[in-house]
Amino acid sequence: MVGKEEMRGLTQYIADLRACRVRELEEKRINKEMAHIRQKFKEGNLDGRQKKKYISKIIFTSILGYNVDVGHMEAVNLISSPKYSEKQIGYLALTLLMHENSDLVRLVVNSIRKDLDEMSEMNNCLALHAIANIGGAEMAEALAGDVHRLLISPTSRSFVKKKAALTLLRLYRKHPEVIPAAEWALRIVSIMDDHNLGVALAVTSLVMTLAQDNLEAYAVCYQKAVNRLSKIVIEEDYPSDYVYYKVPIPWLQVKLLRLLQYYPPSEDGTLRILLHNVLERILKNSQETPRNAQHNNAQNAVLFEAINLAIHLDTESTVVHAAAHLLGRFISAKETNVRYLGLDTMAHLAARSDSLDAIKVHQPIIIQSLRDKDISVRRRGLDLLYSMCDTTNSKTIVAELLKYMQVADYTLREEMVLKIAILTEKFAVEYEWYVDTILRLMSTAGDHVGEEVWYRIVQIVTNTEELQEYAARKVFDFLGNPSCHENVVKVGAYILGEYGHLIADEPGRSPIEQFSILHSRFNLCSTPTKALLLTTYFKWLNLFPEIQEQLVAVFRKCSHVLDAELQQRACEYLAVSQRPDEDLLQVVVDEMPPYPERESALLSRLLKKTGDTGDKRTWYIGGKEVNQGQDAERYKGFGRRKAKEVDPDSLVDVEPQQQQPTHAPGSAADDLMSSLAGLDLSTPGSAITPNPIVESPISTLSPSLPTAAAATAAPAAAKAVASASTPSARKPSTPLTHGADKWLSRLVYNNEGVLYEDGQLQVGIKSEFHGHLGRIALFFGNKISVALESFTATIDVDDPDAVSVTLPKIPTSHISAMSQIQQLVHVECKGVFSSPPILNISYLAGSLQTITLRLPIFLSKFIEPVQLGSNDFFERWKQIGGPPREQQKIFAIRLGSDGKVESEKHRKVVGGTKFGVLNGIDPNPINIVAAGVLHMSTGGKVGCLLRLEPNTEAKLCRLTIRSTNDRVSEELLSILVGSLAVK
């Protein structure tokens, strides 16, 4: 801190200014001091202490509101001072005296970067304050990377991380284009797991803003937010320092609950259950109203955000039903803030819910809120009435809004007009009511009615033939009111010009009376309205020839006015009226055609009006269909892995009987026969003799095979190996960690082993599969002497309709040094799938480490082995037939050290892929024959037969798979070739 002795001059200067009784004396003292300071700076030879003293006086003068044009360079020089007190004054001057586009700011970028790089936390914080307060585009572009580095550095203190996160948030809000938000996503999100809740709060604020524009990149924050909420609310895992009036860190809870609303509801059952438990606990903790105001405010802040999240997730959940009763109590509470929050949250419920019955119960109280003493409450009451309106209560609500319009605040009237017009059009059960209401609205609201409102009524009347006569009659009546507004005149001019002839024969509505009532408003209207009236008179020339003299007189009079638009119209209309050719007049003034159907401009304007907020809205005022449309736009493109489009020709090509369950309980062989039963035996395929295996071409290969044939087979085999070097030839959309497939290949036919290992982490696996279900235990072992922090494991599935993978609990975010944690994974095979699910691992070990692996979940894991006799096998083999249900590939194999085929390895691979190896079927002992049944929860059962024929002399092997589904045959062939072929 600056010593009193050093700043005695500043103290005296402040005392002198305060003693000045009039502004002239104050200005005189300031001018004298500034001249003195300017002279001192001009002389130079000032040390840091003296510069600091004079700069302090300049800062105080600036704070008083005087323009200061001296000392800027000296302030810049002070930033480089090694003394904290001098550096502090330099930074203070920088933030107060200079704007973001000042040329001097460029001079301090290097000094600020130097302070960011220092190990001094105080210097770091001064630099961060300056960046956040100035934050120009040039400074953001130059220093954003340094701020990010300070945020993620493991050596940064907690309060430095907090300031770095908030500084980065400030830069992004001002200049989002210079922040590589998606690139930094994983590293920033990992800090949400920080043990210091203050850091977690600051980073969550940053993630909230970044995620709104980068949903995909920050998707992992969803799991972290749920996990942190569960720890705070369910496990009560938080320091006592962060309990605010008995509510644990309410600011972080509110931000996490809001963050989850930016994402679509998770399909992960574990996360949904956890969130449901969190929301139930929050509601349970809020049953009693605290007497302490601060406790009540904190509790309500968390409660209302929790209700908003519950509504976002599922409006039919038990939490929302319980919350609906609470909201009914809140909207009639004595506290203004509680009423406001209750109305706002109930409007959210109305905007998402299918049924409005629970809200309509409170309709009288909601209508009463329009007359609340607080305008904010009145606004929320208006929003709620708009959202809860439907065909059953539209007349009541619109009538109340029209009634309130006469006494409503001027700031509310424009919005009320839009909402009344939208509701009237949307829920009109009678055309007449629509016309009456809109005309009454235009008469009542006056200048607050925008152009869109009368444009819309004109469109609807033009497009609705049965409404035209009534509209003409009604608008004529409204024109007779003494206080008729100009907007009604516009509507009357258009409608009477088009459809006035429909009522011309009625008493009191003759052509001359229509002209008189309209023209009586002519001199009181604006120029655009006068132009519209002239067009109406022009149309009447053809409809009402009996009043032609009066109409032509108006054209002659207006042909001499000064306004160019009116004069041109009048002259043109007069010229046409005086032509003897009446056909031309009839063509020119022909009736308007119907307008093309399009979205109402009223709704677009309202959405634009309500959507302009700092943070993007998670819902919009209005009904469910409005929010569904907005959600579709907001989530467009979200989801890295999309479900694949399945070619209909590749689906199961079998008779309906194949999908039926077995007609009697029995062995697996019975299941197989049942799944193969009913096949069309005339299906084209290779004819199979009673002993087909002996006659197969590859089994007759010998050392005397012609060289040309061998040369032809070798490239084919090499090509086959190249295309099947991995269990699935299809590449994932996310690059896998280098070298990960070498472990995966062993797990194709083994149920346990190492999935991945490096110098820091080992991932082991144990699995078991029964039918269409499977369970996997993942073991994450920390191999280093420090803990792994912010550990995250997520699973992405390429086709969730074919395979479901869920984590029954969220993985722990902390792995202690030299220890291991276990994570269970539940798997369900629903249909045929190609790509194994992807396991994404990230953790902090000094820096952020990311690992992307394939999980050993293949289609073959869901096969149950069966045993068949020779006759049964051959019969089924023949029934299935040839391609496309038969898939075959020839590939190169490696011989054992003794030069013979590794038959035991081949049996291990085939048996490990869950096929039942059938002994004594093939007369050649090195050939392998196997059978199994693939189980799928929605795709049913598929019988699978296999035949493996190696040839020692050619070092080649032929694998043939036949099944009742050609896609299954293709996938199983790819999996087995990837394990058997030479790598």
Side-chain angles (χ1 to χ4, degrees):
M1 293 297 293
V2 179
K4 291 182 180 180
E5 190 66 27
E6 293 179 341
M7 303 304 285
R8 182 179 300 170
L10 174 63
T11 304
Q12 185 61 48
Y13 177 57
I14 294 173
D16 292 345
L17 292 178
R18 287 179 175 175
C20 295
R21 297 182 178 180
V22 293
R23 184 173 179 82
E24 288 77 8
L25 293 176
E26 186 179 273
E27 290 178 353
K28 183 178 179 181
R29 177 69 181 90
I30 288 173
N31 291 335
K32 178 181 178 181
E33 190 66 35
M34 291 301 106
H36 174 69
I37 293 174
R38 192 177 288 108
Q39 182 63 32
K40 287 292 184 181
F41 285 158
K42 187 176 181 181
E43 292 174 0
N45 300 322
L46 297 175
D47 58 19
R49 182 186 65 81
Q50 292 171 315
K51 289 181 180 178
K52 176 187 68 176
K53 178 177 64 175
Y54 293 133
I55 293 297
S56 298
K57 293 181 179 179
I58 292 172
I59 291 173
F60 183 76
T61 305
S62 175
I63 291 173
L64 290 178
Y66 291 92
N67 292 325
V68 179
D69 58 355
V70 62
H72 292 75
M73 281 304 301
E74 284 71 16
V76 169
N77 293 334
L78 275 183
I79 291 175
S80 303
S81 173
K83 292 186 178 180
Y84 173 76
S85 61
E86 296 172 7
K87 185 186 290 289
Q88 182 189 36
I89 294 297
Y91 273 117
L92 184 60
L94 177 70
T95 56
L96 291 178
L97 303 180
M98 302 176 198
H99 57 82
E100 63 180 50
N101 297 319
S102 172
D103 292 336
L104 292 176
V105 172
R106 302 173 185 174
L107 303 177
V108 299
V109 169
N110 288 332
S111 297
I112 292 176
R113 180 179 286 114
K114 182 180 178 182
D115 286 335
L116 290 174
D117 291 339
E118 287 188 6
M119 295 301 293
S120 169
E121 291 86 0
M122 303 304 293
N123 290 350
N124 294 159
C125 291
L126 286 175
L128 290 171
H129 286 165
I131 296 170
N133 279 284
I134 299 174
E138 190 171 341
M139 182 176 284
E141 190 171 352
L143 298 174
D146 298 274
V147 176
H148 174 253
R149 178 191 51 74
L150 206 56
L151 171 63
I152 68 175
S153 172
T155 60
S156 295
R157 298 283 294 274
S158 292
F159 65 89
V160 174
K161 286 185 178 181
K162 287 190 285 186
K163 294 181 184 298
L166 297 177
T167 301
L168 209 57
L169 174 59
R170 169 76 169 169
L171 293 180
Y172 183 79
R173 281 179 171 164
K174 292 191 71 176
H175 306 286
E177 67 281 355
V178 303
I179 306 295
E183 182 183 331
W184 292 349
L186 281 178
R187 191 62 182 87
I188 291 176
V189 171
S190 66
I191 312 175
M192 290 177 66
D193 286 327
D194 198 283
H195 294 297
N196 186 293
L197 291 184
V199 173
L201 174 60
V203 171
T204 302
S205 300
L206 174 61
V207 170
M208 270 184 64
T209 300
L210 297 178
Q212 292 173 41
D213 301 319
N214 304 274
L215 284 178
E216 186 70 41
Y218 286 83
V220 70
C221 74
Y222 197 96
Q223 176 179 307
K224 293 191 177 294
V226 175
N227 192 27
R228 178 69 82 172
L229 278 171
S230 178
K231 287 183 177 180
I232 294 174
V233 178
I234 303 296
E235 301 174 19
E236 299 183 356
D237 179 13
Y238 48 82
S240 58
D241 296 346
Y242 286 93
V243 177
Y244 178 80
Y245 288 93
K246 300 181 181 180
V247 181
I249 192 164
W251 314 278
L252 180 57
Q253 287 194 59
V254 168
K255 287 184 180 295
L256 292 173
L257 292 166
R258 171 62 64 87
L259 174 60
L260 294 174
Q261 294 174 56
Y262 288 119
Y263 284 88
S266 174
E267 296 178 1
D268 189 319
T270 303
L271 293 181
R272 293 181 73 91
I273 291 172
L274 267 178
L275 264 182
H276 180 80
N277 293 338
V278 166
L279 297 174
E280 273 195 336
R281 179 66 64 85
I282 291 175
L283 255 67
K284 182 180 178 182
N285 294 342
S286 307
Q287 292 299 318
E288 296 182 2
T289 303
R291 294 183 179 180
N292 185 284
Q294 286 82 358
H295 184 189
N296 191 27
N297 289 339
Q299 180 176 285
N300 284 339
V302 176
L303 172 63
F304 282 106
E305 206 60 62
I307 295 174
N308 280 322
L309 176 58
I311 294 169
H312 174 78
L313 295 175
D314 182 11
T315 56
E316 300 302 320
S317 67
T318 56
V319 175
V320 173
H321 286 304
H325 294 292
L326 281 176
L327 293 176
R329 190 180 73 197
F330 289 140
I331 62 175
S332 56
K334 293 182 179 179
E335 298 86 352
T336 302
N337 289 341
V338 176
R339 290 200 305 277
Y340 174 92
L341 290 171
L343 290 167
D344 186 64
T345 308
M346 192 174 280
H348 185 192
L349 177 59
R352 294 278 187 189
S353 182
D354 290 320
S355 173
L356 299 171
D357 294 340
I359 301 173
K360 290 178 183 177
V361 174
H362 309 289
Q363 184 169 305
I365 300 175
I366 298 168
I367 292 174
Q368 189 62 35
S369 67
L370 291 175
R371 291 159 178 80
D372 195 276
K373 59 183 179 182
D374 191 290
I375 188 172
S376 299
V377 176
R378 297 197 292 271
R379 283 185 181 276
R380 297 291 78 82
L382 173 61
D383 291 343
L384 178 51
L385 286 171
Y386 174 75
S387 298
M388 65 183 283
C389 188
D390 60 15
T391 52
T392 64
N393 60 4
S394 57
K395 287 190 175 181
T396 303
I397 290 178
V398 169
E400 287 293 338
L401 293 179
L402 283 171
K403 185 178 177 182
Y404 176 62
M405 173 77 73
Q406 301 174 6
V407 295
D409 304 79
Y410 283 94
T411 54
L412 276 178
R413 289 193 180 186
E414 184 180 356
E415 185 179 342
M416 287 187 70
V417 167
L418 283 175
K419 291 179 175 177
I420 291 172
I422 293 170
L423 293 179
T424 306
E425 177 185 342
K426 187 175 181 181
F427 300 112
V429 292
E430 303 164 356
Y431 286 125
E432 293 80 3
W433 177 73
Y434 170 75
V435 173
D436 293 348
T437 304
I438 293 296
L439 291 175
R440 183 181 168 193
L441 171 66
M442 296 172 73
S443 299
T444 305
D447 294 333
H448 297 282
V449 178
E451 297 288 328
E452 299 91 343
V453 176
W454 82 268
Y455 289 168
R456 190 62 179 165
I457 188 174
V458 161
Q459 290 174 14
I460 291 174
V461 170
T462 304
N463 291 7
T464 311
E465 185 175 352
E466 58 268 31
L467 183 58
Q468 292 164 0
E469 181 179 344
Y470 181 83
R473 187 179 299 113
K474 202 68 183 178
V475 79
F476 182 89
D477 295 340
F478 267 86
L479 287 170
N481 294 334
S483 59
C484 177
H485 192 268
E486 186 172 337
N487 283 324
V488 179
V489 176
K490 293 176 183 178
V491 175
Y494 183 95
I495 293 179
L496 290 178
E498 293 291 331
Y499 313 113
H501 63 282
L502 299 176
I503 61 171
D505 295 333
E506 298 179 7
R509 296 187 176 92
S510 64
I512 188 62
E513 288 171 309
Q514 292 186 35
F515 170 75
S516 299
I517 200 169
L518 260 186
H519 196 59
S520 65
R521 309 283 180 182
F522 189 87
N523 293 327
L524 304 175
C525 296
S526 62
T527 301
T529 306
K530 288 179 179 179
L532 181 61
L533 286 170
L534 287 180
T535 303
T536 300
Y537 301 159
F538 184 55
K539 283 182 172 284
W540 280 347
L541 280 176
N542 183 52
L543 292 175
F544 305 139
E546 62 268 31
I547 61 171
Q548 182 176 2
E549 183 179 344
Q550 292 88 336
L551 299 176
V552 171
V554 175
F555 295 151
R556 285 199 181 97
K557 183 178 180 181
C558 292
S559 63
H560 302 291
V561 298
L562 296 177
D563 185 82
E565 169 71 16
L566 281 179
Q567 187 184 84
Q568 182 177 352
R569 284 187 184 232
C571 291
E572 291 176 354
Y573 294 161
L574 183 62
V576 173
S577 67
Q578 293 176 343
R579 290 178 65 91
D581 186 5
E582 294 184 359
D583 293 339
L584 174 64
L585 178 64
Q586 291 178 358
V587 171
V588 173
V589 299
D590 195 17
E591 187 174 311
M592 286 289 291
Y595 289 93
E597 290 298 329
R598 56 189 176 187
E599 182 184 357
S600 172
L602 301 174
L603 188 59
S604 302
R605 183 176 172 187
L606 184 63
L607 288 175
K608 183 179 179 181
K609 182 180 181 65
T610 58
D612 186 20
T613 59
D615 286 332
K616 291 183 179 178
R617 292 184 63 91
T618 59
W619 59 280
Y620 290 84
I621 304 299
K624 185 175 181 179
E625 64 281 357
V626 173
N627 283 276
Q628 285 177 336
Q630 295 299 319
D631 287 347
E633 181 66 25
R634 187 151 51 103
Y635 301 144
K636 186 169 58 178
F638 176 73
R640 180 174 62 80
R641 294 179 168 269
K642 307 293 188 300
K644 296 179 295 181
E645 293 185 5
V646 180
D647 182 3
D649 295 332
S650 67
L651 296 176
V652 182
D653 186 19
V654 294
E655 298 295 330
Q657 291 91 329
Q658 288 179 260
Q659 302 299 326
Q660 295 175 356
T662 55
H663 39 70
S667 64
D670 294 331
D671 291 339
L672 175 62
M673 293 178 185
S674 175
S675 66
L676 295 176
L679 280 170
D680 184 0
L681 299 183
S682 64
T683 302
S686 55
I688 298 186
T689 63
N691 193 13
I693 299 178
V694 180
E695 298 178 6
S696 111
I698 197 169
S699 62
T700 62
L701 289 175
S702 66
S704 62
L705 184 72
T707 307
T712 304
K719 184 177 180 181
V721 173
S723 66
S725 58
T726 60
S728 177
R730 296 170 177 82
K731 299 296 181 184
S733 55
T734 298
L736 296 177
T737 299
H738 180 69
D741 275 343
K742 69 179 181 180
W743 287 284
L744 183 70
S745 60
R746 301 188 189 100
L747 293 170
V748 175
Y749 51 89
N750 287 311
N751 283 336
E752 60 181 69
V754 175
L755 182 60
Y756 175 80
E757 186 169 12
D758 59 21
Q760 296 177 334
L761 183 71
Q762 181 189 67
V763 183
I765 189 169
K766 287 186 178 181
S767 60
E768 58 178 351
F769 295 87
H770 298 287
H772 64 277
L773 299 176
R775 184 171 62 176
I776 295 175
L778 293 172
F779 300 91
F780 301 103
N782 181 2
K783 298 172 61 178
I784 58 179
S785 57
V786 296
L788 304 182
E789 301 292 347
S790 190
F791 183 85
T792 306
T794 60
I795 297 175
D796 292 328
V797 179
D798 192 39
D799 188 358
D801 292 332
V803 60
S804 169
V805 181
T806 57
L807 304 176
K809 68 174 184 177
I810 298 178
T812 179
S813 61
H814 174 88
I815 305 180
S816 303
M818 309 301 290
S819 66
Q820 184 184 76
I821 64 169
Q822 176 182 325
Q823 177 64 44
L824 287 178
V825 180
H826 293 165
V827 187
E828 179 185 3
C829 178
K830 300 177 180 178
V832 182
F833 64 94
S834 303
S835 300
I838 300 295
L839 173 64
N840 301 297
I841 302 172
S842 64
Y843 60 89
L844 291 177
S847 61
L848 180 70
Q849 306 294 324
T850 59
I851 301 169
T852 305
L853 310 170
R854 283 193 185 98
L855 280 175
I857 301 174
F858 304 102
L859 194 62
S860 58
K861 296 288 185 181
F862 302 95
I863 292 177
E864 288 293 333
V866 295
Q867 292 297 319
L868 293 175
S870 177
N871 292 335
D872 290 334
F873 179 84
F874 291 140
E875 181 183 351
R876 302 296 168 248
W877 184 271
K878 180 178 179 180
Q879 282 181 331
I880 295 175
R885 294 172 183 162
E886 176 188 273
Q887 294 290 324
Q888 190 177 90
K889 189 179 286 291
I890 299 174
F891 52 90
I893 57 173
R894 183 180 290 109
L895 301 180
S897 57
D898 56 358
K900 296 182 179 180
V901 174
E902 297 177 311
S903 297
E904 287 303 317
K905 179 185 176 182
H906 292 175
R907 286 177 173 272
K908 180 180 179 182
V909 171
V910 173
T913 50
K914 305 293 290 293
F915 276 93
V917 177
L918 307 180
N919 298 316
I921 300 293
D922 197 310
N924 189 338
I926 65 172
N927 289 353
I928 297 175
V929 177
V933 176
L934 173 65
H935 292 256
M936 298 175 287
S937 59
T938 57
K941 298 177 182 179
V942 176
C944 308
L945 304 178
L946 173 150
R947 184 179 176 206
L948 182 72
E949 304 164 90
N951 183 272
T952 307
E953 291 78 6
K955 295 183 181 179
L956 296 176
C957 185
R958 181 170 66 185
L959 175 64
T960 306
I961 291 181
R962 291 186 178 185
S963 77
T964 56
N965 183 320
D966 52 327
R967 282 194 66 204
V968 171
S969 301
E970 180 186 351
E971 295 301 331
L972 293 180
L973 183 73
S974 174
I975 293 168
L976 283 160
V977 170
S979 299
L980 294 168
V982 175
K983 302 294 191 293

